[in-house]
Amino acid sequence: VKGFAVDLGGTKLAAARIENGKITERVQCATASGASPGEQVDAIERLLIQVGWQIPDAVSIAVAGRVTTQGVWSAVNVGTLTSIQDTPIKELLKARLGCTVFVCNDAIAAAFAEARFGSGAGTSHFAYVTVSTGVGGGIVIDGMPISSPNGLAGHVGFASSRLSSAICGSGRTATVESIAGGRAISRIANQNGHRVRSARDVFEAAADGANWALEITQTSAKAIAILCADLTTTLGLQKVTLGGSIGLSPGYLSSVQEHLSFEPELFRPDIVAANLMHDSALVGAIALSEFSKH
Ligand code: BMX
């Protein structure tokens, strides 16, 4: 894997130069969640230049939100990226950068990288679940990343959760994302009268032993455990890799494993941490672009 990659998530935007599968340059900044398509293109171009990109180098871009076969980008949770709807991102970037552009969903990219080079290597029925700003996913069966023309395939965070009763930014009610994702975690804390800026504050309070915070983070982990069992019923998963800032935070993996232990064995895939840590979407964007050529 080599080339230039971008990962535009709900909270952070990263760009990297990758050689022989290793990141040799990397920069990152906060995502502007309300930014217009043109402003997102500006930010992407600025970061790419910082990691040494120049015409005619190709770029591979992983974004939060669904990406159609035609390269049209829409937020599914409209609260996360408020100005991204039917955005022809592939065309906009091609026009701006004057190079070959590949665009895909961030969690599918991460899933593909983990399946090929990371924690999922050797597993035929594999899923990756990211718990971050939102809850995203990617499914890889017999080495094939599962996608759909409208780009929705893999969006496991919008499945129902019996632990939630909230209205989700996707328009659905009681989704996994609306109880387990980072935005949900900080919303719930604030609703319960605990002033927090982000999910990170809730995890810090939980690490300090605050019961109110532990309850919120444990509920998130339980919702993710049930989701893993649910996915296993339809896909026969052997392994699920957890990623994302919350998925990789200390103690989270073991609490998902603990909640999963209450399920019958048949519905319990192995749950492991992402090997490529926070870089799986960057590596995966390039790997997927190469894969999609043949
Ligand atoms: C949401 C959805 C997915 C994304 C996932 C993780 C939007 C804007 N995002 O479920 O497309 O893959 O979050 O994204 O609809 P992240 O921002 O948490 O990395």
Side-chain angles (χ1 to χ4, degrees):
V1 173
K2 70 187 269 287
F4 291 90
V6 172
D7 177 9
L8 193 161
T11 304
K12 67 163 217 296
L13 169 62
R17 177 184 202 132
I18 297 175
E19 270 156 295
N20 297 320
K22 296 266 173 294
I23 296 196
T24 55
E25 302 277 344
R26 188 191 207 280
V27 289
Q28 129 177 4
C29 64
T31 299
S33 62
S36 68
E39 290 165 337
Q40 299 290 10
V41 168
D42 289 343
I44 290 169
E45 182 184 27
R46 189 166 58 232
L47 261 57
L48 278 168
I49 289 169
Q50 286 178 32
V51 293
W53 169 85
Q54 51 187 33
I55 298 174
D57 297 329
V59 299
S60 301
I61 309 217
V63 294
R66 66 185 174 91
V67 180
T68 70
T69 313
Q70 268 69 46
V72 176
W73 177 30
S74 300
V76 181
N77 187 330
V78 297
T80 306
L81 295 170
T82 56
S83 304
I84 302 301
Q85 215 54 238
D86 299 319
T87 300
I89 188 66
K90 186 175 166 156
E91 287 310 313
L92 291 175
L93 283 165
K94 254 169 109 171
R96 173 70 68 85
L97 302 173
C99 67
T100 306
V101 175
F102 175 80
V103 188
C104 61
N105 170 264
D106 55 355
I108 295 183
F112 192 62
E114 287 294 330
R116 275 240 161 143
F117 315 115
S119 52
T123 305
S124 67
H125 290 66
F126 174 74
Y128 170 89
V129 174
T130 171
V131 189
S132 186
T133 315
V135 176
I139 294 151
V140 182
I141 305 290
D142 291 329
M144 287 288 292
I146 304 301
S147 61
S148 64
N150 70 357
L152 189 63
H155 278 77
V156 300
F158 302 111
S160 297
S161 174
R162 64 175 186 257
L163 303 181
S164 178
S165 53
I167 294 171
C168 176
S170 61
R172 298 198 77 204
T173 305
T175 59
V176 174
E177 181 159 311
S178 69
I179 187 85
R183 282 165 46 85
I185 286 172
S186 65
R187 186 201 72 233
I188 294 163
N190 281 301
Q191 280 172 349
N192 294 352
H194 305 283
R195 285 273 179 86
V196 300
R197 283 156 304 170
S198 68
R200 178 189 293 251
D201 292 344
V202 181
F203 276 85
E204 277 170 12
D208 290 342
N211 278 326
W212 65 266
L214 279 164
E215 196 180 317
I216 296 172
T217 58
Q218 284 294 320
T219 303
S220 165
K222 183 175 179 183
I224 296 299
I226 297 169
L227 172 66
C228 291
D230 284 350
L231 292 172
T232 300
T233 68
T234 38
L235 297 165
L237 299 175
Q238 295 151 334
K239 188 182 275 186
V240 177
T241 289
L242 286 190
S245 51
I246 292 173
L248 293 169
S249 68
Y252 193 85
L253 173 74
S254 56
S255 67
V256 172
Q257 287 166 332
E258 194 186 317
H259 287 293
L260 193 64
S261 71
F262 296 105
E263 294 280 346
E265 195 189 344
L266 188 58
F267 304 97
R268 286 194 317 242
D270 283 342
I271 311 277
V272 301
N275 279 350
L276 304 168
M277 299 297 288
H278 300 282
D279 297 331
S280 37
L282 289 164
V283 174
I286 298 179
L288 255 188
S289 78
E290 288 172 1
F291 179 84
S292 69
K293 284 180 202 153
H294 13 266

